[in-house]
Amino acid sequence: MKKIALKILGLALAVTAVAACKKDETPSDADISGQWHLVSSDKIDIESEGIDVYIDFRAAGDFELYQKIGEGRYRLKYGRYAVTGTQVSGTYSGDIPWGSSYEAAVDGNTLILTAANASGEVCTYEKETIPAEVISGAVEFRSSGEGASAGGWL
C-alpha cells in the first residue's frame, strides 16, 4: 500500500512539474504605448526627404500622429489602434483604415514597425517625448477617405 501511495505521489509531482514548465503558447500583446519619434526607414531617406514623424500610442487604444513632410507645419492625424500579439492595425478618425497593418517589435526604447503590405517597409522609432512646439504648431489633417499616408509610417 505504501508503494502505491509513493507511486501516486511521484506521478502527481511529475505531472505538476511538467505543467509548471509548460510555456504559455498564447503570446502576449506587444506593448507599443508611449511617445515615439521616427528615426529611420529602410525605403526612404527620411532626412533628405524632410520627413519628421512623432506618434503617441496611448494605452487606451487611441493615437495621435504628428507628421511633417518637407517644409511647413506638422499635420495631426488621430484615431484608434489595436494590438493582437505583435500585429498592430488601426484606423484614422472617420474609420479610415491604415494602408497596412504592422508587425511590431519593441526592444527597450526602440520600436520597429514592419508593414505587412507589399512594400514591407521597416520603420524604426525611438522613445521620445513629443516636443511641445510640435503639438502646439500642428494643424489637424482630415483624410479624404483614401486610406493611409504615403509611407509606412502609418
Side-chain angles (χ1 to χ4, degrees):
M1 190 62 139
K2 195 175 183 180
K3 286 183 181 181
I4 294 174
L6 286 173
K7 285 183 182 181
I8 292 173
L9 179 62
L11 182 60
L13 288 173
V15 168
T16 303
V18 169
C21 290
K22 186 176 180 182
K23 293 191 181 245
D24 184 10
E25 294 179 18
T26 305
S28 60
D29 293 341
D31 182 9
I32 64 169
S33 61
Q35 295 183 354
W36 303 93
H37 185 212
L38 178 67
V39 294
S40 70
S41 163
D42 71 335
K43 304 286 186 203
I44 298 169
D45 183 347
I46 61 172
E47 208 169 296
S48 69
E49 295 292 328
I51 296 169
D52 197 20
V53 177
Y54 290 92
I55 189 161
D56 184 1
F57 287 114
R58 297 181 176 146
D62 58 324
F63 72 90
E64 288 185 349
L65 174 75
Y66 297 88
Q67 181 181 61
K68 183 169 88 168
I69 301 173
E71 297 298 319
R73 297 169 70 178
Y74 286 87
R75 292 180 175 194
L76 167 61
K77 299 177 182 184
Y78 56 91
R80 306 268 316 147
Y81 76 96
V83 180
T84 305
T86 58
Q87 285 294 120
V88 182
S89 59
T91 57
Y92 295 107
S93 61
D95 289 328
I96 298 164
W98 293 350
S100 177
S101 60
Y102 295 84
E103 181 73 22
V106 179
D107 184 12
N109 290 329
T110 303
L111 167 64
I112 299 172
L113 294 177
T114 304
N117 61 14
S119 80
E121 183 175 11
V122 178
C123 293
T124 303
Y125 293 79
E126 293 293 328
K127 194 162 271 223
E128 183 178 325
T129 301
I130 301 171
E133 60 271 12
V134 169
I135 295 169
S136 65
V139 292
E140 188 175 325
F141 181 78
R142 296 190 187 269
S143 178
S144 62
E146 295 175 9
S149 65
W153 47 86
L154 301 182

